[in-house]
Amino acid sequence: MQNFIYCNPTQLVFGKGSIAKLGDLIDKKRKVMLLFGGGSVKKNGVYDQVKAALKNHNTVEFWGIEPNPKVETLRRATAQAKKYKIDFFLAVGGGSVLDGVKLVAAAARYDGDPWDIVLDGKAKDSLDYACVITISATGSEMNNGAVISCEKSGEKFAFFTSKYPIFSILDPETTYSIPLDQLANGLSDIFVHVLEQYMTTINQSRIMDRWAEGILQTLIEIAPKVLNNKCDYAIRSDYMLSASLALNGMIAMGVTQDWATHMIGHELTAFTDIAHGATLAVIYPALLRAQKEQKRDKILQYADRVLHISGESEEIVIEKAIAATESFFRSLGLKTRLFEYGVDENTIDKIVDRFLERKSVFGDNNNIDAPIVKKILLSCK
Ligand code: NZQ
Ligand code: ZN
């Protein structure tokens, strides 16, 4: 195991009725900005709960943070935050609203353009922020990462901010209104977050492997129930918590990580607008096929412990494990081939050109370069 420092200061406030605790969680002396997406919170009653809980607080509202949040929108939010001298931000919505808030909270302490912070990859300072998360996928509610797009340049990049959410409210009942396609995208995202940290090499850490395998097995068990049982509180509880545990650093202690699928997926979203979790379902099986020699031992461990495939030749077990992974995504109702989204070779070339220009290399061995990305994308065409 490699050396590491672990600290996750986010307070998780979990369970039905928890939004009512907002009034106590945020100091009344704070000038609070509430930030929302496109309006789902008005339809499912979350907005009313937030407003009731904060009825004695000083609040202003900002609406319209879109999925794959755009810096163009976040610049407007930052200007308002500065104008009203906001000192606490509350994201109410999905990972996109929360990621947007991470940038606004950082940009409120920065004199230049918010996009500089994204291009820099990290924020030096940030005001306090927290969230009521209404869709579980990104794990953003318990990490300091954010992914921001720029409409003008067609780019999408991750950055890390200097603060974690002060608290994150997770009420499983808020997820009852999530449409099926968004649930599928979310489950795919959670599953791949675990694999990005797990599918590297064996014998780095027994405890990290078992944590990761536990989350993967839980997801395989609950996914059909998440999709078919709309108001099953116990199942939605495990769904929500698996997203937070998948990307809060708990399964990444002292081990190498991959993240190549995410890097390719972000470019695919930037060029095509395919939802984040949906891009991963296409790319992950193809990446596993391309990397099956390098990841051989870990795929065999995953096949045995997570998928319970064994007893045949190693080659067949590996093929079956990759096919089972693709089947898992398809069982969520997701597509796993680019042609199903109408993505052609022209788009593949644009993505590869970008990686060539940036001289990008990804993966736990830093050996997934532009030509290998091309091979991966052509193989899931
Ligand atoms: O905008 P509203 O009207 O609120 O509707 C949203 C949005 O249309 C809707 N929704 C959310 N909660 C709902 C709901 N609809 C009904 N009922 C509810 N309870 O769902 C749609 C998608 O929301 P979004 O926030 O975009 O989804 P998600 O949480 O999957 O976030 C995706 C973004 O996060 C980034 C992705 O790249 C993408 O930009 N990621 C962030 C990460 C992080 N911060 O750590 C890591 C991830 O790998 C990921 O890259
Ligand atoms: Zn993701």
Side-chain angles (χ1 to χ4, degrees):
M1 199 185 287
Q2 300 168 352
N3 291 6
F4 65 89
I5 296 174
Y6 181 74
C7 175
N8 192 314
T10 298
Q11 189 179 10
L12 269 196
V13 183
F14 187 94
K16 62 175 88 173
S18 292
I19 295 174
K21 298 194 172 115
L22 271 174
D24 295 330
L25 287 164
I26 305 175
D27 192 323
K28 286 203 183 55
K29 292 194 207 90
R30 296 292 194 125
K31 185 92 199 265
V32 185
M33 183 179 246
L34 309 174
L35 297 100
F36 307 95
S40 68
V41 295
K42 283 228 165 141
K43 292 191 201 120
N44 61 14
V46 169
Y47 174 76
D48 291 339
Q49 292 181 57
V50 169
K51 290 297 279 185
L54 293 176
K55 62 179 184 300
N56 296 321
H57 281 67
N58 191 352
T59 60
V60 295
E61 297 183 13
F62 184 89
W63 286 86
I65 300 183
E66 54 283 283
N68 307 309
K70 293 188 176 74
V71 71
E72 286 85 355
T73 307
L74 304 171
R75 282 189 186 114
R76 286 191 285 113
T78 304
Q80 282 196 29
K82 286 181 174 173
K83 180 174 157 198
Y84 292 114
K85 300 195 172 17
I86 298 297
D87 63 5
F88 194 95
F89 297 84
L90 184 72
V92 184
S96 292
V97 176
L98 177 52
D99 282 7
V101 163
K102 287 178 181 178
L103 184 61
V104 175
R109 300 281 281 183
Y110 176 70
D111 286 335
D113 181 33
W115 189 241
D116 298 345
I117 298 172
V118 180
L119 291 179
D120 205 27
K122 59 184 185 315
K124 293 189 182 70
D125 198 3
S126 171
L127 290 169
D128 288 346
Y129 67 94
C131 77
V132 175
I133 200 82
T134 61
I135 178 167
S136 285
T138 63
S140 189
E141 67 275 10
M142 221 178 161
N143 68 44
N144 66 337
V147 188
I148 308 294
S149 299
C150 175
E151 186 165 36
K152 193 171 165 213
S153 62
E155 292 171 303
K156 181 175 187 185
F157 291 121
F159 81 99
F160 291 93
T161 187
S162 60
K163 276 189 183 150
Y164 280 62
I166 301 292
F167 63 80
S168 289
I169 294 183
L170 278 65
D171 177 346
E173 290 186 337
T174 65
T175 72
Y176 294 170
S177 57
I178 303 173
L180 272 182
D181 58 338
Q182 299 293 355
L183 281 172
N185 293 339
L187 288 163
S188 165
D189 197 19
I190 305 167
F191 198 76
V192 177
H193 288 164
V194 180
L195 288 171
E196 297 275 29
Q197 298 160 91
Y198 169 80
M199 192 58 77
T200 54
T201 54
I202 58 167
N203 294 334
Q204 294 194 60
S205 165
R206 287 166 188 79
I207 188 78
M208 290 299 116
D209 279 0
R210 295 287 186 187
W211 270 102
E213 288 157 0
I215 300 173
L216 292 171
Q217 284 176 300
T218 304
L219 288 167
I220 291 169
E221 183 184 331
I222 67 172
K225 299 182 181 109
V226 170
L227 295 174
N228 295 321
N229 308 354
K230 197 174 164 194
C231 301
D232 186 327
Y233 184 81
I235 291 293
R236 292 300 171 101
S237 299
D238 281 331
Y239 153 62
M240 283 203 111
L241 204 51
S242 55
S244 306
L245 293 176
L247 201 51
N248 69 353
M250 280 291 287
I251 60 169
M253 290 180 223
V255 297
T256 55
Q257 302 179 41
D258 188 317
W259 295 105
T261 302
H262 269 70
M263 295 300 115
I264 305 168
H266 288 165
E267 292 307 324
L268 197 51
T269 300
F271 280 114
T272 65
D273 232 20
I274 300 172
H276 173 64
T279 66
L280 308 176
V282 177
I283 296 159
Y284 196 78
L287 178 127
L288 217 46
R289 282 195 183 93
Q291 293 253 292
K292 69 178 180 186
E293 282 316 315
Q294 187 179 307
K295 294 186 184 295
R296 181 183 185 85
D297 292 340
K298 204 60 178 271
I299 298 175
L300 287 167
Q301 181 176 312
Y302 164 70
D304 176 27
R305 294 189 191 174
V306 177
L307 304 172
H308 310 300
I309 299 169
S310 57
E312 300 169 66
S313 79
E314 289 191 347
E315 297 316 317
I316 293 173
V317 169
I318 289 170
E319 287 307 323
K320 283 192 169 183
I322 297 171
T325 306
E326 187 167 348
S327 295
F328 172 70
F329 293 123
R330 292 207 86 93
S331 77
L332 303 177
L334 294 172
K335 303 174 170 92
T336 56
R337 300 289 155 151
L338 289 172
F339 80 85
E340 297 176 276
Y341 286 106
V343 175
D344 55 15
E345 274 195 42
N346 188 25
T347 307
I348 294 178
D349 286 340
K350 283 194 214 159
I351 294 173
V352 173
D353 284 348
R354 273 201 167 164
F355 289 143
L356 271 175
E357 273 165 36
R358 296 178 194 155
K359 299 188 174 56
S360 309
V361 279
F362 308 120
D364 54 315
N365 270 339
N366 274 326
N367 61 1
I368 301 187
D369 57 8
I372 295 185
V373 170
K374 182 160 190 170
K375 188 177 149 198
I376 290 168
L377 288 171
L378 288 174
S379 76
C380 56
K381 195 156 63 99

